[in-house]
PDB file of all heavy atoms in Angstrom:
ATOM      1  N   SER K  91    -204.231   7.406 -64.403  1.00 98.00           N
ATOM      2  CA  SER K  91    -204.140   6.127 -65.118  1.00 98.00           C
ATOM      3  C   SER K  91    -204.919   5.040 -64.385  1.00 98.00           C
ATOM      4  O   SER K  91    -205.648   4.256 -65.000  1.00 98.00           O
ATOM      5  CB  SER K  91    -202.676   5.694 -65.267  1.00 98.00           C
ATOM      6  OG  SER K  91    -201.967   6.545 -66.127  1.00 98.00           O
ATOM      7  N   ALA K  92    -204.771   5.003 -63.062  1.00 98.00           N
ATOM      8  CA  ALA K  92    -205.497   4.008 -62.264  1.00 98.00           C
ATOM      9  C   ALA K  92    -207.002   4.204 -62.376  1.00 98.00           C
ATOM     10  O   ALA K  92    -207.769   3.233 -62.371  1.00 98.00           O
ATOM     11  CB  ALA K  92    -205.052   4.082 -60.814  1.00 98.00           C
ATOM     12  N   ILE K  94    -208.638   5.172 -64.981  1.00 98.00           N
ATOM     13  CA  ILE K  94    -209.057   4.511 -66.222  1.00 98.00           C
ATOM     14  C   ILE K  94    -209.000   2.997 -66.050  1.00 98.00           C
ATOM     15  O   ILE K  94    -209.914   2.269 -66.452  1.00 98.00           O
ATOM     16  CB  ILE K  94    -208.170   4.946 -67.404  1.00 98.00           C
ATOM     17  CG1 ILE K  94    -208.268   6.458 -67.648  1.00 98.00           C
ATOM     18  CG2 ILE K  94    -208.529   4.161 -68.660  1.00 98.00           C
ATOM     19  CD1 ILE K  94    -209.635   6.953 -68.040  1.00 98.00           C
ATOM     20  N   GLY K  95    -207.950   2.510 -65.415  1.00 98.00           N
ATOM     21  CA  GLY K  95    -207.785   1.076 -65.207  1.00 98.00           C
ATOM     22  C   GLY K  95    -208.778   0.465 -64.243  1.00 98.00           C
ATOM     23  O   GLY K  95    -208.910  -0.764 -64.183  1.00 98.00           O
ATOM     24  N   SER K  96    -209.487   1.305 -63.496  1.00 98.00           N
ATOM     25  CA  SER K  96    -210.521   0.793 -62.579  1.00 98.00           C
ATOM     26  C   SER K  96    -211.764   0.343 -63.334  1.00 98.00           C
ATOM     27  O   SER K  96    -212.609  -0.369 -62.782  1.00 98.00           O
ATOM     28  CB  SER K  96    -210.921   1.868 -61.566  1.00 98.00           C
ATOM     29  OG  SER K  96    -211.738   2.868 -62.166  1.00 98.00           O
ATOM     30  N   ILE K 252    -209.868  -0.867 -56.397  1.00 98.00           N
ATOM     31  CA  ILE K 252    -208.549  -1.239 -56.919  1.00 98.00           C
ATOM     32  C   ILE K 252    -207.501  -1.015 -55.832  1.00 98.00           C
ATOM     33  O   ILE K 252    -207.793  -0.482 -54.768  1.00 98.00           O
ATOM     34  CB  ILE K 252    -208.187  -0.422 -58.174  1.00 98.00           C
ATOM     35  CG1 ILE K 252    -208.229   1.086 -57.858  1.00 98.00           C
ATOM     36  CG2 ILE K 252    -209.111  -0.759 -59.332  1.00 98.00           C
ATOM     37  CD1 ILE K 252    -207.731   1.983 -58.983  1.00 98.00           C
ATOM     38  N   GLY K 253    -206.254  -1.409 -56.130  1.00 98.00           N
ATOM     39  CA  GLY K 253    -205.161  -1.264 -55.170  1.00 98.00           C
ATOM     40  C   GLY K 253    -204.919  -2.548 -54.409  1.00 98.00           C
ATOM     41  O   GLY K 253    -205.739  -3.479 -54.430  1.00 98.00           O
ATOM     42  N   VAL K 276    -212.079  -5.394 -58.754  1.00 98.00           N
ATOM     43  CA  VAL K 276    -211.473  -5.461 -60.082  1.00 98.00           C
ATOM     44  C   VAL K 276    -210.415  -6.567 -60.115  1.00 98.00           C
ATOM     45  O   VAL K 276    -209.655  -6.758 -59.158  1.00 98.00           O
ATOM     46  CB  VAL K 276    -210.847  -4.097 -60.452  1.00 98.00           C
ATOM     47  CG1 VAL K 276    -210.045  -4.187 -61.746  1.00 98.00           C
ATOM     48  CG2 VAL K 276    -211.946  -3.041 -60.576  1.00 98.00           C
ATOM     49  N   ASP K 278    -207.021  -8.386 -60.695  1.00 98.00           N
ATOM     50  CA  ASP K 278    -205.648  -7.877 -60.587  1.00 98.00           C
ATOM     51  C   ASP K 278    -205.655  -6.404 -60.179  1.00 98.00           C
ATOM     52  O   ASP K 278    -205.135  -5.529 -60.908  1.00 98.00           O
ATOM     53  CB  ASP K 278    -204.888  -8.038 -61.910  1.00 98.00           C
ATOM     54  CG  ASP K 278    -204.762  -9.489 -62.338  1.00 98.00           C
ATOM     55  OD1 ASP K 278    -204.554 -10.341 -61.459  1.00 98.00           O
ATOM     56  OD2 ASP K 278    -204.895  -9.764 -63.549  1.00 98.00           O
ATOM     57  N   PRO K 279    -206.222  -6.087 -59.016  1.00 98.00           N
ATOM     58  CA  PRO K 279    -206.439  -4.675 -58.652  1.00 98.00           C
ATOM     59  C   PRO K 279    -205.163  -3.870 -58.474  1.00 98.00           C
ATOM     60  O   PRO K 279    -205.178  -2.649 -58.635  1.00 98.00           O
ATOM     61  CB  PRO K 279    -207.220  -4.779 -57.334  1.00 98.00           C
ATOM     62  CG  PRO K 279    -206.843  -6.121 -56.767  1.00 98.00           C
ATOM     63  CD  PRO K 279    -206.686  -7.007 -57.959  1.00 98.00           C
ATOM     64  N   LYS K 280    -204.041  -4.533 -58.181  1.00 97.00           N
ATOM     65  CA  LYS K 280    -202.773  -3.803 -58.024  1.00 97.00           C
ATOM     66  C   LYS K 280    -202.245  -3.296 -59.360  1.00 97.00           C
ATOM     67  O   LYS K 280    -201.388  -2.411 -59.396  1.00 97.00           O
ATOM     68  CB  LYS K 280    -201.715  -4.701 -57.362  1.00 97.00           C
ATOM     69  CG  LYS K 280    -201.990  -5.018 -55.898  1.00 97.00           C
ATOM     70  CD  LYS K 280    -200.928  -5.929 -55.305  1.00 97.00           C
ATOM     71  CE  LYS K 280    -199.601  -5.239 -55.144  1.00 97.00           C
ATOM     72  NZ  LYS K 280    -198.607  -6.091 -54.452  1.00 97.00           N
ATOM     73  N   GLU K 281    -202.741  -3.862 -60.456  1.00 98.00           N
ATOM     74  CA  GLU K 281    -202.247  -3.499 -61.783  1.00 98.00           C
ATOM     75  C   GLU K 281    -203.153  -2.488 -62.487  1.00 98.00           C
ATOM     76  O   GLU K 281    -203.048  -2.298 -63.707  1.00 98.00           O
ATOM     77  CB  GLU K 281    -202.113  -4.757 -62.650  1.00 98.00           C
ATOM     78  CG  GLU K 281    -201.282  -5.874 -62.029  1.00 98.00           C
ATOM     79  CD  GLU K 281    -199.896  -5.424 -61.627  1.00 98.00           C
ATOM     80  OE1 GLU K 281    -199.333  -4.538 -62.304  1.00 98.00           O
ATOM     81  OE2 GLU K 281    -199.374  -5.947 -60.627  1.00 98.00           O
ATOM     82  N   ALA K 282    -204.035  -1.829 -61.747  1.00 98.00           N
ATOM     83  CA  ALA K 282    -204.985  -0.897 -62.377  1.00 98.00           C
ATOM     84  C   ALA K 282    -204.257   0.233 -63.108  1.00 98.00           C
ATOM     85  O   ALA K 282    -204.687   0.663 -64.184  1.00 98.00           O
ATOM     86  CB  ALA K 282    -205.941  -0.329 -61.335  1.00 98.00           C
ATOM     87  N   GLY K 283    -203.160   0.729 -62.532  1.00 98.00           N
ATOM     88  CA  GLY K 283    -202.410   1.805 -63.176  1.00 98.00           C
ATOM     89  C   GLY K 283    -201.830   1.369 -64.511  1.00 98.00           C
ATOM     90  O   GLY K 283    -201.895   2.110 -65.502  1.00 98.00           O
ATOM     91  N   ALA K 284    -201.273   0.162 -64.556  1.00 97.00           N
ATOM     92  CA  ALA K 284    -200.700  -0.362 -65.799  1.00 97.00           C
ATOM     93  C   ALA K 284    -201.798  -0.606 -66.836  1.00 97.00           C
ATOM     94  O   ALA K 284    -201.625  -0.323 -68.030  1.00 97.00           O
ATOM     95  CB  ALA K 284    -199.938  -1.654 -65.521  1.00 97.00           C
ATOM     96  N   LYS K 285    -202.940  -1.120 -66.359  1.00 98.00           N
ATOM     97  CA  LYS K 285    -204.063  -1.332 -67.287  1.00 98.00           C
ATOM     98  C   LYS K 285    -204.526   0.001 -67.870  1.00 98.00           C
ATOM     99  O   LYS K 285    -204.797   0.116 -69.065  1.00 98.00           O
ATOM    100  CB  LYS K 285    -205.239  -1.991 -66.551  1.00 98.00           C
ATOM    101  CG  LYS K 285    -205.023  -3.433 -66.145  1.00 98.00           C
ATOM    102  CD  LYS K 285    -206.262  -3.932 -65.404  1.00 98.00           C
ATOM    103  CE  LYS K 285    -206.039  -5.288 -64.793  1.00 98.00           C
ATOM    104  NZ  LYS K 285    -207.210  -5.726 -64.003  1.00 98.00           N
ATOM    105  N   GLY K 286    -204.621   0.996 -67.000  1.00 98.00           N
ATOM    106  CA  GLY K 286    -205.051   2.312 -67.449  1.00 98.00           C
ATOM    107  C   GLY K 286    -204.107   2.894 -68.479  1.00 98.00           C
ATOM    108  O   GLY K 286    -204.537   3.468 -69.490  1.00 98.00           O
ATOM    109  N   ALA K 287    -202.804   2.743 -68.245  1.00 97.00           N
ATOM    110  CA  ALA K 287    -201.807   3.245 -69.200  1.00 97.00           C
ATOM    111  C   ALA K 287    -201.960   2.545 -70.548  1.00 97.00           C
ATOM    112  O   ALA K 287    -201.852   3.182 -71.609  1.00 97.00           O
ATOM    113  CB  ALA K 287    -200.403   3.026 -68.637  1.00 97.00           C
TER     114      ALA K 287
END
Side-chain angles (χ1 to χ4, degrees):
S91 292
I94 299 297
S96 75
I252 57 173
V276 172
D278 299 321
K280 291 179 70 175
E281 307 305 328
K285 290 179 188 176

